[in-house]
């Protein structure tokens, strides 16, 4: 704690409309942040760039528009699960059931679209049932954690076993269930035409810019200074470049050609969940409970309610991911929800910078982490490496990311932040 | 939402006549432990009432009865002259009673504004947090309390010193149009300079017309800010002293020897006694 510095510092951060000063402040803050180890998304973006450059040299058909589209679709399901993981980790809890819970969703969605069965529903209804079921299961598991006080590790470990068992029991009889419904399969297999792709890019950029403008205006109106005007502009430009760039590359791909719907779904959930986490009282309370549950309780927050809802989100996102993963294969088999899915989802959130101890992390870290994992796995595959190598490299990256983050934390603690 | 946008800084308000909070004959036992026995206690607007006593004297238990955490076995709580029943901290908050505890009840990972509004966030019809409004009001509240050492109210509370954090906890307690603020050992975890910072703030609260109850076993601190002092000993109130008309020795004696003036009817040696 740097009490000395703070005590002598000038008054509280009251509005000061001087742009030049604010700009100087931006550089100073950037420098302060660098020095104190508060690096934000910088390390992971640089890491990702290095990974891409490496595989572009290593494998001839890695740095192609086609493969770009591949990676998007490959990572979509995983990213959905990782979004849910971020919320659970923000509470300082864990959810080990999401892998097989996504399998339950896949099973449900396949079952409820089954042609000729007594329970064939339209694709969207089947999806809603599957996701709702997983959210409900998450809510039950969360209630046992929040109301009874059983550690989430144990409750969701039990969930992992139970849901795996259910999947085995059902599919041992049925074998493989083929998904024929176009709506369901489209979640992973639909590609927009070039024109629609551009429109989507324009809408996303426009909405983001308008939202940013709105908050700038309301800040101005309340007399609150815009702390980093350059950064605000840079973010809007960044979003525009990213969205239009993505569409440009996707439109350039041959098979499959066009922007994948799965990627758009990821972005939609990114926006909605980020809004939930950062702009609503609920999200604020999630951070509060993860930071100091007792303080949150004293502040009148219903801690149990927050915990239960978060486990519902985790379950629901596992459901969404499960549907997309099943749609990609157009079928559900005995392997559904298994393999490295669970650990990849947790790794994604952690690689992206979300703390395992609660109270610190961002929704976007799930996307960044999943991007790293999917790119590495795709790159190694393309370069002809075997599964064993992929596991080892992913493990090393996880270790590196967390070690880097821990060192950064230490530096921050030392510089009194 | 009853957020006031800070206080009007005024001159010292005269201490009012009727007590804002009055406890009559409060008793509380935990199994065989008689924590409180027939305790009377009162505090007025514009007054800093210190509640002192040795460890285990029952200070925390007494205020937890006011907070609705414990319910007294017998006795009466009057707020603003009217009998009230407080069953939860929410009931207390509704009356305008707020609490600050020793163990800094803030979320380290949230910034000052977020902590100030924790659990009572301002939001619009879309459930969006009204960040600019909350930031502006936080700035105003801190300014009105002359809490000027915090560099940015958008920095995480983890980066603040102990005194600054406790100042935020106090500001958080008073920004809800509260009438009575009860601080349980707010400086116990703080160093000398930090303690001074918080005590100054406590004084300012009373100057602005709030009633303040300050629990402490540091008599030096108590004599610096309190207008009156209630002494608890072994769960009984053994006297109320006016700071102006008493000495530290006298209070120390009451704490340790506990001249039970009220209980056994020994002739009054203190200038003022709970009636
Ligand atoms: N929840 C409880 N259960 C049992 N005994 C308690 C409880 N709270 C306080 N006590 C007892 O009541 C007495 C008064 O405690 P407390 O009010 O914390 O004292 P103080 O705050 O003055 O140090 C002590 O003997 C303590 O052990
Ligand atoms: Mg105590």
């Amino acid at each position: 704690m740097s009490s000395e510095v703070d005590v002598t510092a000038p008054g509280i951060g009251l509005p000061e409309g001087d742009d030049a000063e604010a700009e100087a402040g931006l550089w100073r803050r950037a420098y302060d942040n660098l020095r104190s180890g508060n690096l934000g998304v910088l390390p992971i973006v640089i890491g990702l760039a290095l990974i891409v450059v490496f595989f572009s040299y290593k494998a001839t058909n890695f740095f192609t528009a086609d493969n770009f589209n591949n990676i998007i679709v490959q990572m979509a399901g995983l990213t959905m699960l990782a979004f849910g993981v971020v919320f659970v980790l923000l509470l300082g809890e864990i959810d080990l059931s999401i892998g097989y819970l996504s399998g339950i969703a896949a099973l449900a969605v396949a079952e409820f679209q089954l042609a000729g069965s007594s329970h064939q529903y339209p694709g969207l209804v089947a999806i809603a049932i599957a996701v709702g079921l997983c959210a409900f299961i998450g809510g039950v598991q969360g209630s046992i954690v929040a109301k009874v006080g059983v550690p989430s590790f144990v409750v969701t470990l039990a969930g992992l076993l139970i849901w795996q068992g259910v999947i085995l029991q059902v599919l041992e009889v049925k074998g493989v269930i083929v998904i024929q419904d176009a709506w369901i399969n489209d979640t992973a297999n639909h590609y927009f035409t070039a024109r629609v792709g551009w429109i989507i890019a324009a809408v996303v950029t426009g909405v983001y810019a308008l939202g940013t403008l709105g908050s700038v205006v309301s800040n101005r109106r309340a007399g609150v200074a815009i702390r980093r005007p350059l950064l605000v502009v840079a973010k809007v430009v960044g979003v525009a470049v990213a969205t239009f760039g993505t569409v440009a590359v996707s439109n350039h791909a041959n098979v499959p050609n066009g922007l994948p719907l799965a990627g758009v779904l990821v972005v939609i959930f990114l926006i909605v969940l980020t809004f939930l986490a950062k702009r609503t009282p609920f999200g604020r309370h999630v951070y509060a409970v993860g930071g100091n549950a007792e303080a949150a309780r004293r502040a009148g927050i219903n801690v149990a309610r927050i915990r239960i809802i978060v486990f519902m989100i985790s379950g629901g996102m596992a459901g969404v991911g499960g549907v997309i993963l099943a749609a990609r294969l157009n079928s559900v088999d005995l392997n559904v929800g298994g393999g490295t899915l669970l650990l990849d989802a947790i790794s994604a959130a952690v690689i992206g910078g979300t703390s395992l101890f609660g109270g610190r992390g961002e929704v976007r870290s799930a996307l960044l982490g999943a991007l790293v994992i999917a790119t590495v796995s795709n790159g190694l595959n393309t370069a002809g490496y075997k599964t064993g190598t992929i596991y080892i490299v992913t493990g090393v990256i996880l270790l590196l990311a967390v070690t880097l983050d821990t060192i950064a934390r230490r530096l921050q603690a030392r510089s009194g932040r | 939402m009853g957020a006031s946008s800070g206080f009007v800084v005024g001159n010292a308000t005269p201490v009012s006549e009727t007590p804002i909070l009055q406890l009559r004959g409060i008793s509380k036992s935990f199994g065989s432990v008689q924590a409180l026995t027939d305790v009377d206690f009162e505090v007025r607007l514009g007054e800093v009432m210190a509640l002192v006593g040795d460890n285990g004297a029952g200070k925390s238990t007494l205020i937890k009865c006011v907070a609705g955490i414990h319910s007294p076995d017998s006795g009466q709580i009057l707020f603003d002259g009217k009998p009230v029943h407080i069953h939860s901290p929410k009931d207390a908050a509704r009356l305008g009673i707020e609490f600050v505890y020793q163990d800094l009840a803030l979320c380290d990972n949230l910034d000052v504004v977020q902590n100030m509004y924790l659990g009572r966030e301002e939001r619009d019809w879309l459930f969006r947090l009204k960040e600019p409004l909350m930031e502006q009001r936080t700035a105003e509240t801190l300014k009105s309390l002359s809490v000027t050492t915090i560099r940015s109210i958008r920095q995480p509370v983890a980066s603040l010193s102990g005194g600054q954090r406790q100042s935020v906890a106090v500001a958080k307690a008073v920004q809800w149009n509260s009438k009575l603020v009860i601080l349980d050992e707010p400086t116990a975890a703080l160093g000398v300079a930090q303690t001074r910072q918080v005590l100054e703030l406590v004084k300012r609260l009373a100057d602005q017309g709030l009633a303040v109850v300050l629990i402490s076993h540091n008599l030096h601190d108590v004599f610096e800010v309190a207008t009156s002092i209630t002494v608890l000993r072994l769960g009984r109130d053994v006297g109320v002293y006016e700071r102006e008309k008493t000495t530290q020795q006298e209070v120390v004696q009451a704490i340790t020897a506990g001249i039970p003036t009220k209980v056994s009817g020994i002739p009054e040696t203190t200038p003022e006694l709970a009636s």
Side-chain angles (χ1 to χ4, degrees), chain B residues 96-117:
Chain B
I97 310 175
E98 293 284 338
F99 298 85
V100 177
Y101 300 93
Q102 164 189 340
D103 46 347
L104 318 150
L106 299 174
C107 289
D108 273 357
N109 57 330
L110 300 184
D111 67 31
V112 176
V113 180
Q114 293 170 340
N115 267 292
M116 289 279 285
Y117 276 85

Side-chain angles (χ1 to χ4, degrees), chain B residues 54-61 63-64 102 184-185 215 217:
Chain B
D54 231 334
N55 276 330
K59 308 181 293 290
S60 296
T61 306
I63 68 132
K64 278 176 185 164
Q102 164 189 340
D184 192 354
E185 312 249 8
I215 297 181
H217 52 225

